[in-house]
Amino acid sequence: QVQLEESGGGSVQTGGSLRLSCTVTRPTGRNDCLGWFRQIKGKPEAREKIAVTDSDDPDGSTFYKASVEGRFTISFDHSESKLYLQMNDVEPEDTGTYVCAAGFGYCSIDRALDDFGYWGQGTRVTVSS
């Protein structure tokens, strides 16, 4: 069983930084694709992929949404079993509810949302201009 719990959301001004955390409880000895998604405004069940990374593959893949590449960094700390999203140089368009997700197997650029079987409750990020 996999459990996910986010923290670290809040309000920040344009150009500022914020770090989101997700505590990941999961079986060991396997690779999971871990990721951050953002709920699409007005569509609570619709989410867009922000960043994903493999948990246990040293040669694993990391993918970013084009609009955040170079500003956001996803990482997984095995010792703490926490998934992070470091958000730098944020923009008002980054505002939203960020949700942590996990799915068994390896990440790919086109891995579908349905292939992530576990989701957190989300944490709110508000960027003001």
Side-chain angles (χ1 to χ4, degrees):
Q1 184 71 5
V2 177
Q3 294 180 323
L4 306 165
E5 184 173 0
E6 305 94 336
S7 62
S11 297
V12 60
Q13 291 190 327
T14 297
S17 296
L18 203 63
R19 189 175 78 161
L20 306 183
S21 300
C22 176
T23 300
V24 182
T25 303
R26 66 188 185 102
T28 58
R30 74 182 202 188
N31 184 83
D32 290 298
C33 181
L34 305 176
W36 288 98
F37 293 75
R38 183 168 64 212
Q39 289 182 352
I40 296 175
K41 188 176 181 180
K43 300 180 180 180
E45 299 305 315
R47 296 162 178 162
E48 57 179 347
K49 188 184 302 180
I50 299 301
V52 296
T53 189
D54 285 313
S55 67
D56 286 77
D57 185 354
D59 298 319
S61 301
T62 298
F63 301 101
Y64 294 93
K65 179 179 172 65
S67 63
V68 308
E69 192 151 17
R71 299 189 296 120
F72 291 8
T73 302
I74 188 172
S75 60
F76 181 60
D77 186 320
H78 284 85
S79 64
E80 297 181 341
S81 196
K82 287 191 174 183
L83 181 72
Y84 294 103
L85 184 69
Q86 179 66 44
M87 307 169 66
N88 295 332
D89 193 21
V90 296
E91 303 168 352
E93 292 74 20
D94 297 324
T95 293
T97 297
Y98 286 71
V99 186
C100 176
F104 178 64
Y106 294 89
C107 294
S108 65
I109 194 169
D110 57 355
R111 179 163 177 152
L113 264 64
D114 288 346
D115 289 337
F116 290 84
Y118 304 95
W119 298 85
Q121 294 299 308
T123 185
R124 182 74 182 171
V125 172
T126 302
V127 182
S128 58
S129 57

PDB file of all heavy atoms in Angstrom, residues 26-42:
ATOM      1  N   ARG A  26       5.669   3.524   1.166  1.00  0.00           N
ATOM      2  CA  ARG A  26       5.501   2.569   0.068  1.00  0.00           C
ATOM      3  C   ARG A  26       6.345   1.337   0.321  1.00  0.00           C
ATOM      4  O   ARG A  26       7.258   1.364   1.145  1.00  0.00           O
ATOM      5  CB  ARG A  26       5.946   3.220  -1.250  1.00  0.00           C
ATOM      6  CG  ARG A  26       7.443   3.515  -1.286  1.00  0.00           C
ATOM      7  CD  ARG A  26       7.869   4.323  -2.494  1.00  0.00           C
ATOM      8  NE  ARG A  26       9.326   4.454  -2.512  1.00  0.00           N
ATOM      9  CZ  ARG A  26      10.127   3.743  -3.296  1.00  0.00           C
ATOM     10  NH1 ARG A  26       9.618   2.881  -4.163  1.00  0.00           N
ATOM     11  NH2 ARG A  26      11.438   3.911  -3.248  1.00  0.00           N
ATOM     12  N   PRO A  27       6.057   0.261  -0.382  1.00  0.00           N
ATOM     13  CA  PRO A  27       6.893  -0.937  -0.252  1.00  0.00           C
ATOM     14  C   PRO A  27       8.297  -0.655  -0.759  1.00  0.00           C
ATOM     15  O   PRO A  27       8.486   0.136  -1.690  1.00  0.00           O
ATOM     16  CB  PRO A  27       6.188  -1.956  -1.154  1.00  0.00           C
ATOM     17  CG  PRO A  27       4.799  -1.453  -1.287  1.00  0.00           C
ATOM     18  CD  PRO A  27       4.894   0.028  -1.242  1.00  0.00           C
ATOM     19  N   THR A  28       9.275  -1.288  -0.171  1.00  0.00           N
ATOM     20  CA  THR A  28      10.653  -1.103  -0.611  1.00  0.00           C
ATOM     21  C   THR A  28      11.017  -2.159  -1.642  1.00  0.00           C
ATOM     22  O   THR A  28      10.263  -3.095  -1.900  1.00  0.00           O
ATOM     23  CB  THR A  28      11.613  -1.201   0.587  1.00  0.00           C
ATOM     24  OG1 THR A  28      11.426  -2.484   1.214  1.00  0.00           O
ATOM     25  CG2 THR A  28      11.315  -0.111   1.596  1.00  0.00           C
ATOM     26  N   GLY A  29      12.176  -1.980  -2.245  1.00  0.00           N
ATOM     27  CA  GLY A  29      12.683  -2.976  -3.176  1.00  0.00           C
ATOM     28  C   GLY A  29      12.089  -2.913  -4.562  1.00  0.00           C
ATOM     29  O   GLY A  29      12.137  -3.900  -5.311  1.00  0.00           O
ATOM     30  N   ARG A  30      11.538  -1.802  -4.926  1.00  0.00           N
ATOM     31  CA  ARG A  30      10.993  -1.671  -6.262  1.00  0.00           C
ATOM     32  C   ARG A  30      11.106  -0.224  -6.698  1.00  0.00           C
ATOM     33  O   ARG A  30      11.303   0.679  -5.877  1.00  0.00           O
ATOM     34  CB  ARG A  30       9.524  -2.102  -6.286  1.00  0.00           C
ATOM     35  CG  ARG A  30       8.586  -1.090  -5.632  1.00  0.00           C
ATOM     36  CD  ARG A  30       7.160  -1.528  -5.615  1.00  0.00           C
ATOM     37  NE  ARG A  30       6.225  -0.416  -5.472  1.00  0.00           N
ATOM     38  CZ  ARG A  30       4.925  -0.547  -5.280  1.00  0.00           C
ATOM     39  NH1 ARG A  30       4.399  -1.762  -5.212  1.00  0.00           N
ATOM     40  NH2 ARG A  30       4.146   0.510  -5.179  1.00  0.00           N
ATOM     41  N   ASN A  31      10.954   0.012  -8.007  1.00  0.00           N
ATOM     42  CA  ASN A  31      10.948   1.382  -8.491  1.00  0.00           C
ATOM     43  C   ASN A  31       9.507   1.867  -8.665  1.00  0.00           C
ATOM     44  O   ASN A  31       8.654   1.143  -9.186  1.00  0.00           O
ATOM     45  CB  ASN A  31      11.673   1.475  -9.839  1.00  0.00           C
ATOM     46  CG  ASN A  31      11.770   2.909 -10.324  1.00  0.00           C
ATOM     47  OD1 ASN A  31      12.661   3.648  -9.907  1.00  0.00           O
ATOM     48  ND2 ASN A  31      10.886   3.314 -11.223  1.00  0.00           N
ATOM     49  N   ASP A  32       9.253   3.072  -8.244  1.00  0.00           N
ATOM     50  CA  ASP A  32       7.979   3.734  -8.502  1.00  0.00           C
ATOM     51  C   ASP A  32       8.240   5.028  -9.263  1.00  0.00           C
ATOM     52  O   ASP A  32       9.276   5.666  -9.063  1.00  0.00           O
ATOM     53  CB  ASP A  32       7.257   4.080  -7.199  1.00  0.00           C
ATOM     54  CG  ASP A  32       6.736   2.856  -6.482  1.00  0.00           C
ATOM     55  OD1 ASP A  32       5.890   2.158  -7.067  1.00  0.00           O
ATOM     56  OD2 ASP A  32       7.190   2.582  -5.358  1.00  0.00           O
ATOM     57  N   CYS A  33       7.326   5.374 -10.098  1.00  0.00           N
ATOM     58  CA  CYS A  33       7.357   6.688 -10.729  1.00  0.00           C
ATOM     59  C   CYS A  33       6.638   7.641  -9.773  1.00  0.00           C
ATOM     60  O   CYS A  33       5.459   7.431  -9.452  1.00  0.00           O
ATOM     61  CB  CYS A  33       6.669   6.661 -12.092  1.00  0.00           C
ATOM     62  SG  CYS A  33       6.703   8.260 -12.926  1.00  0.00           S
ATOM     63  N   LEU A  34       7.349   8.656  -9.308  1.00  0.00           N
ATOM     64  CA  LEU A  34       6.791   9.629  -8.368  1.00  0.00           C
ATOM     65  C   LEU A  34       6.655  10.970  -9.070  1.00  0.00           C
ATOM     66  O   LEU A  34       7.540  11.342  -9.861  1.00  0.00           O
ATOM     67  CB  LEU A  34       7.719   9.779  -7.155  1.00  0.00           C
ATOM     68  CG  LEU A  34       8.071   8.495  -6.410  1.00  0.00           C
ATOM     69  CD1 LEU A  34       9.076   8.783  -5.300  1.00  0.00           C
ATOM     70  CD2 LEU A  34       6.823   7.831  -5.848  1.00  0.00           C
ATOM     71  N   GLY A  35       5.611  11.692  -8.763  1.00  0.00           N
ATOM     72  CA  GLY A  35       5.425  12.931  -9.488  1.00  0.00           C
ATOM     73  C   GLY A  35       4.615  13.978  -8.767  1.00  0.00           C
ATOM     74  O   GLY A  35       3.963  13.705  -7.756  1.00  0.00           O
ATOM     75  N   TRP A  36       4.687  15.173  -9.302  1.00  0.00           N
ATOM     76  CA  TRP A  36       3.877  16.305  -8.862  1.00  0.00           C
ATOM     77  C   TRP A  36       2.964  16.711 -10.006  1.00  0.00           C
ATOM     78  O   TRP A  36       3.423  16.869 -11.146  1.00  0.00           O
ATOM     79  CB  TRP A  36       4.756  17.488  -8.458  1.00  0.00           C
ATOM     80  CG  TRP A  36       5.484  17.292  -7.171  1.00  0.00           C
ATOM     81  CD1 TRP A  36       6.779  16.878  -7.012  1.00  0.00           C
ATOM     82  CD2 TRP A  36       4.968  17.489  -5.852  1.00  0.00           C
ATOM     83  NE1 TRP A  36       7.086  16.801  -5.681  1.00  0.00           N
ATOM     84  CE2 TRP A  36       5.994  17.183  -4.939  1.00  0.00           C
ATOM     85  CE3 TRP A  36       3.731  17.907  -5.338  1.00  0.00           C
ATOM     86  CZ2 TRP A  36       5.832  17.273  -3.562  1.00  0.00           C
ATOM     87  CZ3 TRP A  36       3.574  17.994  -3.972  1.00  0.00           C
ATOM     88  CH2 TRP A  36       4.617  17.684  -3.100  1.00  0.00           C
ATOM     89  N   PHE A  37       1.704  16.890  -9.658  1.00  0.00           N
ATOM     90  CA  PHE A  37       0.700  17.298 -10.622  1.00  0.00           C
ATOM     91  C   PHE A  37      -0.011  18.532 -10.090  1.00  0.00           C
ATOM     92  O   PHE A  37      -0.006  18.795  -8.890  1.00  0.00           O
ATOM     93  CB  PHE A  37      -0.317  16.164 -10.835  1.00  0.00           C
ATOM     94  CG  PHE A  37       0.275  14.953 -11.503  1.00  0.00           C
ATOM     95  CD1 PHE A  37       1.095  14.078 -10.810  1.00  0.00           C
ATOM     96  CD2 PHE A  37       0.010  14.695 -12.840  1.00  0.00           C
ATOM     97  CE1 PHE A  37       1.647  12.970 -11.429  1.00  0.00           C
ATOM     98  CE2 PHE A  37       0.556  13.582 -13.460  1.00  0.00           C
ATOM     99  CZ  PHE A  37       1.372  12.729 -12.753  1.00  0.00           C
ATOM    100  N   ARG A  38      -0.637  19.267 -10.988  1.00  0.00           N
ATOM    101  CA  ARG A  38      -1.389  20.443 -10.577  1.00  0.00           C
ATOM    102  C   ARG A  38      -2.818  20.291 -11.056  1.00  0.00           C
ATOM    103  O   ARG A  38      -3.057  19.975 -12.233  1.00  0.00           O
ATOM    104  CB  ARG A  38      -0.754  21.716 -11.156  1.00  0.00           C
ATOM    105  CG  ARG A  38      -1.435  23.002 -10.711  1.00  0.00           C
ATOM    106  CD  ARG A  38      -0.574  24.197 -11.093  1.00  0.00           C
ATOM    107  NE  ARG A  38      -0.424  24.340 -12.525  1.00  0.00           N
ATOM    108  CZ  ARG A  38       0.665  24.839 -13.112  1.00  0.00           C
ATOM    109  NH1 ARG A  38       1.701  25.213 -12.389  1.00  0.00           N
ATOM    110  NH2 ARG A  38       0.707  24.948 -14.418  1.00  0.00           N
ATOM    111  N   GLN A  39      -3.745  20.505 -10.150  1.00  0.00           N
ATOM    112  CA  GLN A  39      -5.151  20.429 -10.533  1.00  0.00           C
ATOM    113  C   GLN A  39      -5.487  21.573 -11.466  1.00  0.00           C
ATOM    114  O   GLN A  39      -5.066  22.712 -11.259  1.00  0.00           O
ATOM    115  CB  GLN A  39      -6.044  20.470  -9.301  1.00  0.00           C
ATOM    116  CG  GLN A  39      -5.974  19.207  -8.465  1.00  0.00           C
ATOM    117  CD  GLN A  39      -6.900  19.231  -7.286  1.00  0.00           C
ATOM    118  OE1 GLN A  39      -7.502  20.252  -6.981  1.00  0.00           O
ATOM    119  NE2 GLN A  39      -7.022  18.108  -6.596  1.00  0.00           N
ATOM    120  N   ILE A  40      -6.243  21.271 -12.508  1.00  0.00           N
ATOM    121  CA  ILE A  40      -6.640  22.280 -13.479  1.00  0.00           C
ATOM    122  C   ILE A  40      -7.830  23.049 -12.918  1.00  0.00           C
ATOM    123  O   ILE A  40      -8.816  22.452 -12.488  1.00  0.00           O
ATOM    124  CB  ILE A  40      -6.982  21.622 -14.828  1.00  0.00           C
ATOM    125  CG1 ILE A  40      -5.705  20.951 -15.388  1.00  0.00           C
ATOM    126  CG2 ILE A  40      -7.538  22.631 -15.804  1.00  0.00           C
ATOM    127  CD1 ILE A  40      -5.936  20.158 -16.647  1.00  0.00           C
ATOM    128  N   LYS A  41      -7.712  24.368 -12.934  1.00  0.00           N
ATOM    129  CA  LYS A  41      -8.726  25.224 -12.336  1.00  0.00           C
ATOM    130  C   LYS A  41     -10.090  24.933 -12.934  1.00  0.00           C
ATOM    131  O   LYS A  41     -10.254  24.869 -14.156  1.00  0.00           O
ATOM    132  CB  LYS A  41      -8.370  26.687 -12.547  1.00  0.00           C
ATOM    133  CG  LYS A  41      -9.264  27.660 -11.789  1.00  0.00           C
ATOM    134  CD  LYS A  41      -8.788  29.085 -11.980  1.00  0.00           C
ATOM    135  CE  LYS A  41      -9.669  30.062 -11.204  1.00  0.00           C
ATOM    136  NZ  LYS A  41      -9.222  31.460 -11.376  1.00  0.00           N
ATOM    137  N   GLY A  42     -11.060  24.747 -12.058  1.00  0.00           N
ATOM    138  CA  GLY A  42     -12.420  24.510 -12.512  1.00  0.00           C
ATOM    139  C   GLY A  42     -12.710  23.067 -12.837  1.00  0.00           C
ATOM    140  O   GLY A  42     -13.849  22.709 -13.127  1.00  0.00           O
TER     141      GLY A  42
END
